[in-house]
Amino acid sequence: MAAPIDRERVRALYDDYVHFLNSGDFEQWLELFAEDCSYRVVSRENHAQGLPLALIRCDSRAMLADRIAAIRSTQFFVPRIVRHFVSGLRVSRAETEGLEVAAQFLVGESLEHEPPRIHSVGEYRDRVVERIPDGELCFASKWAIYDSPVIQTSLIAPL
Amino acid sequence: MAAPIDRERVRALYDDYVHFLNSGDFEQWLELFAEDCSYRVVSRENHAQGLPLALIRCDSRAMLADRIAAIRSTQFFVPRIVRHFVSGLRVSRAETEGLEVAAQFLVGESLEHEPPRIHSVGEYRDRVVERIPDGELCFASKWAIYDSPVIQTSLIAPL
Amino acid sequence: MAAPIDRERVRALYDDYVHFLNSGDFEQWLELFAEDCSYRVVSRENHAQGLPLALIRCDSRAMLADRIAAIRSTQFFVPRIVRHFVSGLRVSRAETEGLEVAAQFLVGESLEHEPPRIHSVGEYRDRVVERIPDGELCFASKWAIYDSPVIQTSLIAPL
């Protein structure tokens, strides 16, 4: 009896995610997460073996906000621009609440004196819910699982 | 008098194609093809000259299923993860039945001890029809035409 | 009181843009621009500093048509195939007329005897309007801002 899934609305959420993240608009990016969200960046190897080690692990939006603040105040790293590309959005109903979304990501990276290159490739495994009270879609859970353990630069930006 | 083309529905087919292929769910991936489908992986050079040589050529879903079974039972190759990215979906009515769809693809590849890289880039030239009796969209024909004759690894996975 | 933005219609415009450009169908590609369009290809550095220098700068569709004609009649460059990938489409109402659209792009490039590689990565900053009298969406302004000043080949094709 469930209403059909509105894929276009889910697409719009991912478009906004990519836009805010790549343009450095972290306040609006944080707004795309539920308050008690789970956000992780983890290698495929660790994820497949159920190992807890993750490059980033935040268990609430407040933790994620802290992490972003830390990144922004650290100026040790070489300036770079990252761009996210998302494809193959697969949407299904979650067993609990909301929607399960799987998607492919590829992140391109440009440093000052080098040609652009691939930063990382992998898969999102997310759960998307409607926020109360405004009904906007947001991430209850967002796990970015990257395929290659070899990342050419220290991971600074979220995936 | 034809009904307008529902691009979003076509997009969903390509999303599913990418999802099933990249997650190794080949049974569901095969379900996206018509029984008498034509599936080919061919270089742009050969395609442009009308040469019959193709890296993969299957003239039915049964042949494609055989091919997949062969890939899955062969463990000689180095473990790798591939990710497909699709963009620029162009949909028009086919002269015969169904829809003609052209799209760009880029495949990223991750091996165990190397940074991720581009596996191949090219174009899909497909024909999409409604399956009888359930009306779901599926591929009557799917040709993956890759641009560069230089592929860094032996081609194992379908494109 | 404005009508809701039809993202799917905007997506279709970008799909057509990529399709016509990558298949070398420049006549149809030009049709996607308004007559008095502004088209630019500019580095992020110059764009950020407000510097006027651009790799390509056309202030009308007629200028853009000239540029395309020049590219097509020049055969000095090595044959290559480019493929555009667009993600993270962000659509909002323009302060003046029409829609503002931001999107990420990645361009893959294949030369004859080399594996495919990344040509450029960056961001579109566009304004989209309805054409009079047919109401089709077209680009009043399209600026392709590429991230890395290092482009591995001379820029021939538009971004």
Side-chain angles (χ1 to χ4, degrees):
Chain A
M1 294 309 195
I5 291 171
D6 185 348
R7 278 212 204 207
E8 175 58 28
R9 212 178 146 206
V10 178
R11 257 185 242 293
L13 173 66
Y14 282 78
D15 281 340
D16 286 350
Y17 181 90
V18 165
H19 175 75
F20 293 139
L21 190 50
N22 291 178
S23 57
D25 189 346
F26 293 115
E27 277 71 28
Q28 287 205 259
W29 181 75
L30 282 168
E31 286 298 311
L32 301 179
F33 290 89
E35 253 180 72
D36 57 346
C37 67
S38 164
Y39 176 82
R40 292 191 194 176
V41 174
V42 62
S43 74
R44 172 150 300 274
E45 212 176 348
N46 282 5
H47 179 71
Q49 296 179 30
L51 297 175
L53 190 67
L55 270 182
I56 305 182
R57 182 180 170 153
C58 297
D59 293 326
S60 70
R61 189 169 64 199
M63 273 184 72
L64 195 50
D66 273 358
R67 180 79 185 216
I68 292 297
I71 290 170
R72 301 186 82 173
S73 62
T74 311
Q75 296 297 338
F76 290 104
F77 56 84
V78 182
R80 79 200 58 208
I81 298 167
V82 292
R83 303 264 170 225
H84 291 61
F85 296 84
V86 176
S87 195
L89 215 67
R90 170 85 186 162
V91 187
S92 55
R93 297 222 171 270
E95 283 187 30
T96 55
E97 185 207 350
L99 303 170
E100 272 178 17
V101 185
Q104 323 289 307
F105 67 79
L106 179 151
V107 180
E109 176 181 52
S110 300
L111 281 86
E112 239 168 313
H113 301 292
E114 296 176 41
R117 64 187 183 192
I118 296 180
H119 175 276
S120 53
V121 177
E123 190 189 13
Y124 290 127
R125 287 279 178 176
D126 305 338
R127 199 160 60 82
V128 167
V129 296
E130 289 192 340
R131 195 203 321 266
I132 295 167
D134 66 4
E136 292 292 314
L137 292 186
C138 67
F139 293 105
S141 172
K142 184 160 195 88
W143 292 11
I145 304 159
Y146 56 93
D147 293 333
S148 170
V150 184
I151 288 194
Q152 294 193 62
T153 49
S154 52
L155 181 82
I156 307 289
L159 289 186
Chain B
M1 293 307 196
I5 291 171
D6 185 348
R7 279 211 204 209
E8 175 58 28
R9 214 178 145 206
V10 178
R11 257 185 242 292
L13 173 66
Y14 282 79
D15 281 340
D16 286 351
Y17 180 91
V18 166
H19 176 74
F20 293 139
L21 191 50
N22 291 177
S23 57
D25 190 346
F26 292 115
E27 277 71 28
Q28 287 206 260
W29 180 76
L30 281 168
E31 286 297 313
L32 301 179
F33 290 88
E35 254 180 73
D36 57 346
C37 67
S38 164
Y39 176 82
R40 292 192 194 176
V41 175
V42 61
S43 74
R44 172 150 298 275
E45 213 175 345
N46 282 5
H47 178 72
Q49 296 178 30
L51 297 175
L53 190 67
L55 271 183
I56 305 181
R57 180 180 170 154
C58 297
D59 293 325
S60 70
R61 190 170 63 199
M63 274 184 70
L64 195 50
D66 273 358
R67 179 79 185 217
I68 292 296
I71 291 171
R72 300 185 83 174
S73 62
T74 311
Q75 295 297 337
F76 291 103
F77 55 84
V78 181
R80 77 201 59 209
I81 298 167
V82 292
R83 302 265 169 223
H84 291 61
F85 296 84
V86 176
S87 195
L89 215 66
R90 169 84 186 161
V91 188
S92 54
R93 298 221 170 269
E95 282 186 30
T96 56
E97 186 207 349
L99 302 171
E100 272 178 17
V101 185
Q104 324 289 308
F105 67 80
L106 179 151
V107 180
E109 177 180 51
S110 300
L111 282 87
E112 238 168 316
H113 301 293
E114 295 175 40
R117 64 188 182 192
I118 295 180
H119 174 275
S120 53
V121 177
E123 189 188 14
Y124 290 127
R125 287 277 179 178
D126 305 338
R127 198 162 60 83
V128 167
V129 296
E130 289 192 340
R131 197 203 320 266
I132 295 166
D134 66 4
E136 292 291 313
L137 292 185
C138 68
F139 293 104
S141 172
K142 183 160 195 90
W143 292 13
I145 303 159
Y146 56 93
D147 293 332
S148 171
V150 185
I151 288 196
Q152 295 192 61
T153 50
S154 53
L155 182 81
I156 307 289
L159 289 186
Chain C
M1 293 309 196
I5 290 171
D6 185 349
R7 279 210 203 209
E8 175 58 28
R9 215 178 144 205
V10 178
R11 256 185 242 293
L13 174 65
Y14 281 78
D15 280 340
D16 287 350
Y17 180 91
V18 165
H19 176 73
F20 293 139
L21 191 49
N22 291 178
S23 56
D25 189 346
F26 292 115
E27 277 71 27
Q28 286 206 259
W29 180 75
L30 281 168
E31 286 299 310
L32 301 179
F33 289 88
E35 253 179 73
D36 58 345
C37 67
S38 163
Y39 175 81
R40 293 191 194 177
V41 175
V42 62
S43 74
R44 173 150 299 275
E45 213 176 345
N46 282 6
H47 179 71
Q49 296 178 29
L51 297 176
L53 190 67
L55 271 183
I56 305 181
R57 180 180 172 154
C58 297
D59 294 325
S60 70
R61 190 170 63 198
M63 274 183 72
L64 195 51
D66 273 358
R67 180 77 184 217
I68 292 297
I71 291 170
R72 300 186 83 174
S73 62
T74 311
Q75 295 297 337
F76 291 103
F77 55 85
V78 181
R80 77 201 58 208
I81 298 166
V82 292
R83 302 264 171 225
H84 292 61
F85 296 85
V86 176
S87 195
L89 215 66
R90 169 84 186 162
V91 187
S92 55
R93 298 222 171 269
E95 282 187 30
T96 56
E97 186 207 349
L99 302 171
E100 273 178 16
V101 185
Q104 322 289 307
F105 67 81
L106 178 150
V107 180
E109 177 181 51
S110 299
L111 281 87
E112 239 168 315
H113 302 292
E114 295 175 41
R117 63 188 183 192
I118 295 180
H119 174 276
S120 53
V121 178
E123 190 188 13
Y124 291 128
R125 287 279 179 176
D126 305 339
R127 198 160 61 84
V128 167
V129 296
E130 289 190 342
R131 196 202 322 265
I132 295 167
D134 67 4
E136 292 292 313
L137 292 186
C138 67
F139 292 105
S141 171
K142 183 159 195 87
W143 292 13
I145 304 159
Y146 56 94
D147 293 333
S148 170
V150 185
I151 288 193
Q152 294 191 63
T153 49
S154 53
L155 182 82
I156 308 289
L159 289 186

